[in-house]
Amino acid sequence: MNYFLPFTKILLFCVVVILCSLSLPCRGKDTLTLGESLQDGDTLISKGDIFELGFFTPGEPNRRYIGVWYRSFSTKLETILWVANREKPVTNLSGGALALSPDGNLIVTNTGSDMLWSTNISTPISNNQSRIVQLLADGNIVMNNSDGTTVWQSFDYPTDTYIPGMRVGLDLQTGVNQVFTSWRSKTDPAPGNFTLGIDPGRSTQLFVWDGRRPRWRSGRWNGQVC
Ligand SMILES: *[C@@H]1O[C@H](CO)[C@@H](O)[C@H](O)[C@H]1NC(C)=O
Ligand SMILES: *[C@@H]1O[C@H](CO)[C@@H](O)[C@H](O)[C@H]1NC(C)=O
Ligand SMILES: *[C@@H]1O[C@H](CO)[C@@H](O)[C@H](O)[C@H]1NC(C)=O
Ligand SMILES: *[C@@H]1O[C@H](CO)[C@@H](O)[C@H](O)[C@H]1NC(C)=O
Ligand SMILES: *[C@@H]1O[C@H](CO)[C@@H](O)[C@H](O)[C@H]1NC(C)=O
């Protein structure tokens, strides 16, 4: 009689282990490796469960975009924080994918080789390295070499939303001015007419531009609040 007790316990243990390992990929995968891709319906979820990366539809159902949103809000569309393929939506719902391409770029494709968006970096993967994409707990998407160096991050390419942790502004060394750009409309994340950024004339003021015309400026910061 007693022989069977350990056996049933072992069996139960095995069943639990199998069930856990089956359900694991569904929750909380936050990385994408070379050769892997994210298809419509798949998402990456950041550690801590705050951010999610996947496909969304702001307007017409056959225009799909890949972006990052807050997981905790039920109205996902209200909280789109970042968009990859702003200008070119995925139109082939079964063919669209976000993938890490063999040349080491994060890309959005419509069908096979029909590329809609790319991180477009030229740093190749050296022979003894591989590359991985991770949605971090702060909402940043990073692309790292296997030695841990980051070769691209979404925080350097904001859409229209500031996320705590982003370094905003004018890089005096490279001359790159990070600006936030409005959506064209509520249903179209393509770059709209309004941008917000730091005055490239180095006046330490924030500007909102409508096209090339300044529409608002913050005033020089005088070291005081208000
Ligand atoms: C859409 O993608 C699927 C899967 O890649 C492909 O078989 C199909 O031909 C594509 N459709 C169009 C219209 O390109
Ligand atoms: C990639 O960069 C090249 C050169 O800077 C540019 O001509 C090309 O349009 C870019 N492609 C994408 C998909 O951004
Ligand atoms: C990879 O190769 C480079 C030179 O090609 C070398 O400097 C580096 O130490 C190597 N890294 C590893 C992890 O082997
Ligand atoms: C990638 O780099 C960031 C720092 O830039 C680090 O926080 C993260 O853990 C790294 N992830 C992987 C998978 O290497
Ligand atoms: C953006 O600017 C263009 C050119 O000035 C104008 O035709 C268009 O109506 C503007 N769009 C919006 C949404 O204001």
Side-chain angles (χ1 to χ4, degrees), residues 59-176:
E60 293 165 47
N62 61 349
R63 294 170 74 86
R64 309 277 288 157
Y65 298 87
I66 289 164
V68 174
W69 58 86
Y70 280 118
R71 218 172 127 59
S72 52
F73 290 80
S74 50
T75 50
K76 163 164 112 182
L77 279 181
E78 301 293 315
T79 68
I80 300 292
L81 302 164
W82 184 82
V83 186
N85 53 324
R86 289 186 81 164
E87 297 182 61
K88 295 184 182 169
V90 169
T91 52
N92 183 342
L93 302 193
S94 59
L98 176 75
L100 193 49
S101 74
D103 76 350
N105 276 294
L106 185 63
I107 57 170
V108 176
T109 54
N110 206 14
T111 304
S113 61
D114 180 5
M115 191 169 347
L116 302 172
W117 177 85
S118 165
T119 49
N120 210 14
I121 59 166
S122 51
T123 329
I125 310 178
S126 42
N127 288 335
N128 58 0
Q129 293 269 332
S130 72
R131 205 162 269 181
I132 188 167
V133 168
Q134 185 175 24
L135 176 61
L136 297 182
D138 60 3
N140 194 4
I141 307 167
V142 291
M143 188 155 70
N144 290 0
N145 283 335
S146 44
D147 65 4
T149 53
T150 299
V151 291
W152 181 90
Q153 55 176 342
S154 62
F155 273 13
D156 285 342
Y157 303 90
T159 302
D160 69 340
T161 310
Y162 172 81
I163 308 172
M166 275 182 177
R167 295 160 312 165
V168 184
L170 182 64
D171 185 328
L172 295 178
Q173 261 153 27
T174 61
V176 172

Side-chain angles (χ1 to χ4, degrees), residues 159-202:
T159 302
D160 69 340
T161 310
Y162 172 81
I163 308 172
M166 275 182 177
R167 295 160 312 165
V168 184
L170 182 64
D171 185 328
L172 295 178
Q173 261 153 27
T174 61
V176 172
N177 195 10
Q178 268 171 25
V179 294
F180 297 86
T181 313
S182 64
W183 285 28
R184 193 162 291 165
S185 73
K186 236 183 131 97
T187 55
D188 184 358
N193 286 353
F194 293 94
T195 50
L196 166 75
I198 289 178
D199 173 22
R202 306 186 180 184

